[in-house]
Amino acid sequence: MSVPLRPPVPLLAALFLALALLLTGCTSGPAPAKAPVGAPGQGAAGPESDAAVRRASPEPEPSPAEIPGLGPQTRAEIPEEARQAFVVTGEGEDANRSSAVLYAREDPAEGWVAVAGPWDAHNGMKGWTDHHVAGDLRSPTGVYTLTDAGGRLPDPGALLPYDEHPRFAVDGVGFFGEPLEGSFDYVVAINYNRTEGVTPLDRTRPLGLERGGGIWIHVDHGGPTQGCVSIPENRMEELLRTLDPAMNPVIVMGDAESLGR
């Protein structure tokens, strides 16, 4: 009786090893799980990722430019329809020297832009006041519309209604002895205590005579005024040719501290 031959031990071991490799592949452990799409370090972010949302958010629109030096209270007094603002800023509450800049807002989305100035100016001899009364020698602070112009000289090309009249003639001397002649060659009426739409010479005073009136922008005579604002003659001509009733012009006037409120 013959005995079956057994394979040598090393050969059996080699066969088992080959079979194991065929069943498990080249790794000795389970395959790593796939990282979720969009996980950190796993390539470009998907459309729902935080990074994609941040990139898709639009940039905020810039705020319209404001007039420098004006505080919220003063800005709120400027009518929404006003698109020209002649800003006269006094050096101090009791000072009679000022600086004037003309601003415009052609595009409300962009806001206010300086279009002329700064120009040297004078105001009332004793400065500024929130409550102007006749004879106080102070200019009234605030925001006032500009609708009417005039003067002793012929119309230089004003866009506002212009009243040429000899009654605009003036003589005498100012506070420092300077001659006043020619001061009213060109004027723009400031609508403080007056009726709009009439000549600057009109003396109607809706608030009463005690509250003063006849507050104008006029030609500078080299010294302080009774309460008006004055600028050089060539600047008055430029202002008259620029103030446009279609743009509802206003004057914003006062000392720097008051305008900053």
Side-chain angles (χ1 to χ4, degrees):
M1 174 175 172
S2 62
V3 179
L5 297 177
R6 294 183 179 181
V9 174
L11 180 58
L12 288 173
L15 290 173
F16 282 120
L17 179 58
L19 181 60
L21 289 173
L22 288 173
L23 293 174
T24 62
C26 297
T27 58
S28 57
K34 291 185 178 179
V37 175
Q42 299 298 318
E48 300 301 324
S49 68
D50 290 343
V53 171
R54 285 196 298 271
R55 285 199 300 270
S57 299
E59 291 294 327
E61 292 291 332
S63 300
E66 299 287 359
I67 297 174
L70 303 188
Q73 177 179 321
T74 303
R75 292 198 302 267
E77 293 178 18
I78 300 176
E80 184 66 29
E81 66 272 15
R83 293 190 289 126
Q84 285 181 325
F86 189 54
V87 180
V88 180
T89 306
E91 293 179 354
E93 182 181 1
D94 300 322
N96 53 53
R97 288 185 176 273
S98 306
S99 178
V101 179
L102 179 62
Y103 291 87
R105 53 176 173 185
E106 298 283 353
D107 183 353
E110 293 184 3
W112 293 99
V113 177
V115 295
W119 301 332
D120 291 335
H122 279 99
N123 54 274
M125 173 66 179
K126 293 187 177 180
W128 301 90
T129 179
D130 288 333
H131 187 81
H132 176 70
V133 295
D136 66 3
L137 301 182
R138 291 179 179 271
S139 299
T141 61
V143 178
Y144 306 99
T145 55
L146 303 172
T147 56
D148 306 285
R152 184 182 65 87
L153 296 181
D155 184 350
L159 300 178
L160 296 175
Y162 186 90
D163 178 30
E164 178 189 349
H165 202 287
R167 285 176 57 200
F168 284 104
V170 62
D171 56 17
V173 296
F175 292 103
F176 299 151
E178 74 279 8
L180 298 178
E181 184 178 359
S183 299
F184 302 154
D185 283 354
Y186 301 116
V187 310
V188 175
I190 296 171
N191 288 339
Y192 166 82
N193 197 19
R194 73 177 298 270
T195 303
E196 297 183 13
V198 297
T199 173
L201 294 169
D202 185 87
R203 298 186 63 81
T204 303
R205 302 289 181 256
L207 299 177
L209 294 177
E210 70 279 2
R211 293 297 305 275
I215 306 296
W216 297 343
I217 308 169
H218 63 68
V219 176
D220 189 74
H221 48 73
T225 71
Q226 299 276 342
C228 297
V229 169
S230 62
I231 58 177
E233 184 167 3
N234 63 329
R235 301 309 186 189
M236 273 301 302
E237 293 175 346
E238 182 178 349
L239 188 66
L240 283 166
R241 289 191 291 262
T242 306
L243 292 178
D244 185 349
M247 298 183 73
N248 301 297
V250 298
I251 185 170
V252 183
M253 53 192 285
D255 60 280
E257 183 176 352
S258 295
L259 295 183
R261 292 183 296 210

